[in-house]
């Protein structure tokens, strides 16, 4: 018999069906047990009668705990009128179970998934992202994103666009952020850069004559995370067109997104159509920002206020933050990027007054967020060279873009494009609090990837093959761990005091020489949870409750690290380990009893050196996951 999906049961009253999925909820009523089964289509109620726990059937039932995967054979029945649940599409039926098999048991989940999940600590959500995605809100977001990209593909391919993939291992593509670089093994000492966007490739595809290109492009930028920008990587709808004006690009993007909203977000309404176009100067004067929030009612979750910001100046004053065009010593930096064309009327001003030159840049704004940007590009070699000069490129830097200048000598169509962010649009349209809510496996704000916990160390063998030696401040013994910590605290402008004292190893000894209470000592312990090192911090007078910790964080095997392991992971001996996990690449968990202290004190990598500081600022720097998992030490 073929598997039936939960929603299909309504069409199969009276028939025997096989269902497969997860147990969502379970209600035991003596002789009768109700289970809700969930699959990709939705949920359906199962009724299991009989309570003979000793029979094979009964044993199985007891294992059908929430989130176990089960297979059920049963007959679809109409529910009695009084039991109909109008809230779910299968509310008028239930399946009377004849046979139930538990395909895969499930332990208790580390957090609830029947809520929207905002209340759960994000680090834990990321660690178990595959469970977090089971929650309805996350599933909905990912499905919506898939429908969105499908819609976009159809829309564009119907209009003669060609989808082209461009390299990920490539050369720097300056969008104003830092590059991620990847070492080359075959050419030791050389590096690829991950693309900040396919900007140069898409322009080269215009030289190649494709005329209309798009790509759902992964972009990589090593910049500090913000609410509307993911750390590391994100996806944008990268588009480029030949023989177009700025007007053509705006019209096309506006039409695409208007239709997309109509199709995918029927409950939403667009504040003003056609979208208002606001000159940059006016935006700044009227709203104090180039991405104004033009919603009429900011409390209306269904309002989408699109706008275009246009007529940007081609240049801004260069600052040290302008990576790449980089020294921060030239006067001009591109407002958008260095390939944006100047307004044709302003070309003479490039010689006389560059700051007055308008650029053919356009930003797509939604509810106060910049959700996309683009421009008409330079397609003339001498103009491109002029811009390189103005932004202070050295000959060497110019040489990095020689391929563009060369390409511009072989018949270049005038061209331009735009790149709306996929995640960025979706997060804004849905009003999610962070862009990570619309990504399956985002990196944390600190740059740690979900579930897999990258970045991680390369083995000595790998490094040798690459000809790389890591000049690291960590993992090289107590003195440098101490330096790393004080540096970290300085960078975070935290107030702290350092203490030198005779060597101590236990919390008691430490408290005695420092004349501090035992409980003010923040004791760092290294453990292994399911084979991976982790660190916990407790007050010196308390002990970890292994059982509670396991339960809290869904860990199966938990054990103390051996002294050798402590040395290997932290490079410092037991007793000197400071309560900072991330400097050793291990997750950090803090017992909430530490918070009873206003000030805490800890050995900072050495048996002879301690640091004391406000508990609050410690948390700010160390960023632990906080839970309650200690008991009084005997
Ligand atoms: N390359 C630009 C960006 O990624 C977009 C564009 O100019 O088309 O922001």
């Amino acid at each position: 018999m073929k598997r039936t999906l939960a929603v299909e049961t309504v069409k199969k009253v009276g028939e025997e069906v096989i269902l497969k999925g997860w147990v969502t909820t379970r209600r035991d009523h003596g002789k009768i047990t109700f289970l809700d089964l969930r699959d990709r289509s939705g949920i359906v109620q199962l009724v299991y009668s009989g309570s003979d726990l000793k029979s094979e059937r009964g044993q199985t039932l007891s294992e059908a705990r929430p989130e176990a995967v089960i297979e059920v054979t049963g007959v679809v029945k109409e529910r009695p009128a009084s039991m109909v649940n109008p809230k779910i599409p299968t509310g008028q039926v239930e399946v009377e179970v004849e046979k139930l098999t538990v395909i895969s048991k499930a332990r208790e989940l580390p957090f609830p998934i029947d809520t929207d999940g905002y209340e759960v600590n994000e680090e834990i959500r990321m660690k178990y992202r595959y469970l977090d995605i089971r929650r309805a809100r996350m599933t909905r977001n990912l499905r919506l994103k898939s429908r969105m990209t499908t819609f976009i593909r159809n829309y564009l391919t119907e209009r003669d666009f060609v989808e082209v993939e461009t390299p990920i291992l490539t050369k720097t593509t300056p969008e104003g952020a830092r590059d991620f670089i990847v070492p080359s093994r075959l050419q030791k000492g050389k590096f690829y850069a991950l693309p900040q966007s396919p900007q140069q490739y898409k322009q080269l595809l215009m030289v190649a004559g494709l005329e209309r290109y798009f790509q759902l492009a992964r972009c990589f930028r090593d910049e500090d995370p913000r609410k509307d920008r993911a750390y590391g990587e994100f996806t944008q709808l990268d588009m480029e067109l030949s023989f177009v004006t700025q007007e053509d690009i705006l019209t096309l993007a506006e039409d695409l997104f208007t239709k997309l909203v109509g199709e995918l977000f029927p409950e939403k309404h667009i504040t003003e159509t056609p979208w208002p176009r606001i000159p940059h100067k006016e935006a700044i004067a009227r709203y104090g920002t180039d991405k104004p929030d033009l919603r009429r009612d900011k409390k209306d979750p269904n309002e989408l206020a699109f706008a275009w910001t246009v007529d940007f100046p081609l240049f801004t004053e260069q600052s040290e933050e302008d990576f790449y065009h980089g020294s921060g010593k030239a006067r001009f930096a591109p407002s958008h990027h260095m390939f944006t064309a100047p307004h044709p009327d302003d070309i003479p001003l490039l010689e006389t007054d560059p700051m007055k030159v308008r650029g053919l840049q356009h930003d797509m704004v939604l509810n106060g967020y910049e959700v996309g940007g683009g421009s008409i590009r330079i397609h003339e070699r001498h103009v491109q060279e002029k811009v390189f000069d103005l932004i202070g490129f050295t000959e060497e830097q110019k040489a990095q873009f020689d391929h563009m200048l060369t390409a511009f000598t072989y018949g270049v169509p005038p061209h331009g494009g735009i790149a709306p962010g996929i995640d960025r649009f979706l997060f804004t349209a849905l009003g999610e609090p962070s862009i990570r809510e619309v990504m399956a496996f985002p990196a944390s704000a600190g740059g740690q990837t979900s579930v897999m916990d990258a970045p991680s160390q390369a083995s000595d063998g790998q490094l040798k093959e690459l000809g790389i030696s890591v000049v690291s401040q960590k993992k090289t013994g107590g003195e440098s761990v101490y330096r790393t910590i004080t540096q970290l605290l300085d960078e975070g402008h935290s107030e702290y005091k350092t203490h030198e004292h005779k060597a101590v190893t236990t919390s008691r000894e430490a408290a005695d020489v420092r004349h501090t209470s035992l409980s003010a000592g923040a004791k760092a312990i290294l453990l292994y949870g399911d084979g991976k090192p982790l660190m916990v911090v407790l007050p010196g007078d308390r002990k970890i409750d292994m059982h509670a910790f396991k339960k809290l964080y869904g860990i199966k095997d938990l054990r103390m690290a051996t002294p050798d392991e402590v040395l290997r992971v932290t490079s410092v001996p037991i007793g000197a380990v400071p309560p900072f996990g991330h400097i050793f690449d291990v997750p950090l968990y803090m017992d909430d009893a530490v918070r009873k202290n206003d000030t805490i004190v800890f050995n900072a990598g050495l048996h002879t050196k301690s640091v004391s500081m406000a508990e609050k600022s410690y948390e700010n720097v160390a960023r632990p996951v906080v839970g309650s998992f200690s008991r009084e030490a005997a």
Side-chain angles (χ1 to χ4, degrees):
M1 209 184 346
K2 244 181 66 201
R3 174 185 176 208
T4 297
L5 290 176
V7 287
E8 295 167 346
T9 51
V10 289
K11 293 176 294 185
K12 299 207 171 185
V13 176
E15 290 177 42
E16 191 181 68
V17 294
I18 293 182
L19 296 163
K20 297 180 191 190
W22 287 259
V23 175
T24 293
T25 52
R26 174 186 172 122
R27 298 174 298 281
D28 291 285
H29 292 290
K31 287 209 160 104
I32 275 198
T33 301
F34 292 100
L35 302 171
D36 280 343
L37 175 137
R38 180 184 78 242
D39 61 22
R40 66 173 195 270
S41 74
I43 60 173
V44 64
Q45 175 164 290
L46 311 179
V47 193
Y48 189 105
S49 47
S51 61
D52 183 4
L53 288 174
K54 281 188 207 87
S55 76
E56 206 188 309
R57 192 163 160 256
Q59 284 295 355
T60 302
L61 177 66
S62 71
E63 286 170 354
R65 310 289 323 154
E67 295 309 309
V69 174
I70 59 171
E71 175 176 339
V72 159
T73 310
V75 178
V76 183
K77 295 270 164 82
E78 203 103 46
R79 290 197 206 180
S82 61
M83 307 287 263
V84 166
N85 177 357
K87 284 194 208 123
I88 55 170
T90 61
Q92 70 272 37
V93 298
E94 58 192 14
V95 177
E96 227 173 68
V97 176
E98 288 164 353
K99 189 170 161 236
L100 184 152
T101 314
V102 174
I103 296 176
S104 174
K105 291 195 271 186
R107 289 196 280 157
E108 197 181 322
L109 265 43
F111 43 66
I113 57 167
D114 58 352
T115 62
D116 59 25
Y118 298 125
E119 77 290 359
V120 183
N121 175 300
E122 203 185 5
E123 255 175 271
I124 309 281
R125 285 179 62 203
M126 291 305 162
K127 176 171 178 195
Y128 299 98
R129 189 59 153 183
Y130 47 89
L131 299 178
D132 191 52
I133 292 174
R134 288 187 190 177
R135 75 178 72 252
R137 179 176 62 87
M138 289 306 296
T139 308
R140 175 206 63 182
N141 288 0
L142 294 186
R143 282 178 189 275
L144 253 177
K145 193 159 159 183
S146 163
R147 288 181 54 209
M148 182 175 161
T149 50
T150 306
F151 181 92
I152 288 170
R153 277 209 168 88
N154 291 338
Y155 180 98
L156 292 175
T157 45
E158 277 163 18
R159 285 162 181 80
D160 259 6
F161 279 78
V162 185
E163 182 171 8
V164 183
E165 285 183 300
T166 54
I168 296 295
L169 290 176
T170 179
K171 212 167 169 175
T172 185
T173 44
E175 305 284 345
R178 263 189 213 90
D179 285 324
F180 280 100
I181 60 168
V182 180
S184 156
R185 177 181 60 86
L186 296 177
Q187 297 184 48
K188 280 198 187 51
K190 294 202 173 157
F191 297 84
Y192 300 96
L194 304 182
Q196 293 183 35
S197 92
Q199 184 60 36
Q200 296 176 76
Y201 286 114
K202 69 173 170 176
Q203 290 192 242
L204 294 172
L205 287 169
M206 295 302 104
V207 182
L210 284 188
E211 291 198 26
R212 295 185 151 211
Y213 142 95
F214 82 98
Q215 178 178 195
L216 293 158
R218 208 60 89 78
C219 303
F220 304 86
R221 299 181 190 179
D222 187 3
E223 56 189 354
D224 293 331
R226 300 202 308 245
K227 190 165 100 168
D228 63 334
R229 294 232 173 136
Y231 175 77
E233 53 184 296
F234 59 88
T235 306
Q236 69 185 22
L237 164 58
D238 202 49
M239 287 198 264
E240 197 74 7
L241 300 86
S242 292
F243 306 112
V244 288
T245 58
Q246 189 170 49
E247 178 66 40
D248 296 328
I249 297 169
L250 301 196
T251 307
L252 177 88
E254 190 163 326
D255 184 62
L256 164 56
F257 276 87
T258 304
K259 295 208 164 95
L260 185 144
V261 168
E263 173 99 5
L264 265 64
F265 303 89
E267 72 287 3
K268 310 242 172 217
H269 57 94
I270 296 175
T271 311
E272 196 184 329
T273 34
W275 305 353
R277 294 187 189 177
I278 311 170
H280 180 262
K281 223 192 223 146
E282 188 187 319
I284 300 292
R286 269 180 67 184
Y287 307 102
T289 169
D290 56 11
K291 28 183 182 293
D293 187 347
L294 301 178
R295 278 176 295 178
R296 294 196 178 122
D297 176 7
K298 298 210 171 70
K299 287 191 293 293
D300 176 0
N302 289 326
E303 182 171 2
L304 298 178
F306 284 100
W308 291 109
T309 310
V310 291
D311 291 343
F312 282 79
L314 188 64
F315 297 111
T316 57
E317 292 280 346
Q318 190 164 129
S319 74
E320 282 179 35
E321 312 248 293
D322 287 306
F323 295 112
Y324 210 77
H325 15 96
S327 53
K329 292 196 182 91
R331 236 194 94 197
F332 311 107
S335 312
H336 182 44
H337 54 55
M338 56 185 77
F339 306 110
T340 297
H343 194 291
D345 298 347
D346 297 350
I347 291 195
L349 289 172
L350 285 174
E351 300 293 342
T352 52
D353 197 352
M355 289 305 274
K356 284 231 170 76
V357 177
R358 287 164 297 166
L360 295 178
Q361 176 188 346
H362 36 259
D363 274 6
M364 183 172 150
V365 177
L366 174 60
N367 293 0
Y369 289 100
E370 178 204 322
V371 293
S375 58
I376 293 292
R377 325 297 182 187
I378 297 168
H379 69 280
E380 289 166 304
R381 184 183 168 123
H382 68 277
V383 180
Q384 189 66 71
E385 279 179 323
K386 182 75 204 164
V387 169
F388 284 169
D389 284 337
L390 286 168
I391 62 181
F393 262 12
T394 59
E395 287 308 311
E396 203 180 316
Q397 282 172 313
K398 269 191 228 168
Q400 291 242 43
F401 296 96
D402 204 36
H403 51 274
M404 295 298 280
L405 298 175
T406 305
F408 285 175
T409 62
Y410 287 108
V412 196
H415 58 283
I418 187 166
I422 297 289
D423 327 272
R424 212 134 32 119
F425 168 80
L426 197 58
F427 132 84
T428 313
L430 291 173
E432 285 285 10
S434 131
I435 200 163
R436 295 187 287 280
E437 302 295 343
V438 298
M439 304 173 101
F441 296 104
S444 72
Q448 211 75 16
T449 65
S450 39
V451 188
M452 308 235 191
D453 250 4
S456 55
Q457 264 160 3
S459 71
D460 290 346
Q462 285 171 315
L463 291 177
K464 207 168 153 203
E465 244 179 3
L466 295 166
I468 286 182
S469 76
V470 177
V471 185
S472 170
Q473 299 199 315
K474 45 197 179 183
K475 310 205 177 280
T476 46
E479 267 305 337
S480 76
V481 166
Y482 177 79
R483 264 201 313 276
T484 304
I485 290 172
T486 49
Q487 230 168 45
L488 207 66
L489 298 180
D490 290 338
E491 279 163 19
H493 304 287
S494 320
E495 281 191 33
Y496 65 94
K497 282 202 200 101
T498 56
H499 312 267
E500 285 200 42
H501 45 71
K502 75 170 206 251
V504 294
T505 37
T506 66
S507 307
R508 179 83 266 161
E509 288 167 8
D512 288 348
V513 297
R514 300 173 192 138
H515 306 292
T516 48
S517 73
L518 194 54
S519 62
K523 169 167 77 175
I525 307 174
L526 194 74
L527 296 118
Y528 275 78
D530 294 335
K532 284 203 245 159
L534 59 90
M535 187 183 282
V536 298
V537 192
L538 308 152
D541 61 344
R542 295 184 72 86
K543 249 189 172 163
I544 178 168
D545 178 337
M546 301 283 266
H547 184 73
F549 190 87
K550 276 168 36 177
K551 193 147 174 237
L552 198 53
Y553 300 113
I555 292 167
K556 223 196 219 140
D557 303 306
L558 185 68
R559 63 170 179 84
M560 296 282 179
T562 65
D564 268 357
E565 286 168 336
V566 173
L567 201 59
R568 203 160 352 113
V569 174
T570 68
S571 81
V572 302
I574 285 181
V577 178
F580 291 84
H582 63 286
I583 68 173
F584 310 116
D585 294 331
V586 299
L588 179 69
Y589 298 85
M590 185 183 98
D591 182 57
D592 60 3
V594 174
R595 286 187 170 159
K596 290 197 186 125
N597 300 294
D598 288 335
T599 305
I600 59 166
V601 54
F602 47 84
N603 278 79
L606 295 158
H607 286 138
T608 52
K609 284 188 184 173
S610 298
V611 164
S612 62
M613 64 189 297
E615 193 278 332
K616 276 219 178 68
S617 18
Y618 160 72
E619 278 192 46
N620 276 337
V621 180
R623 300 226 162 261
V625 173
V626 183
S628 185
F629 50 75
S630 72
R631 52 195 171 84
E632 235 162 284

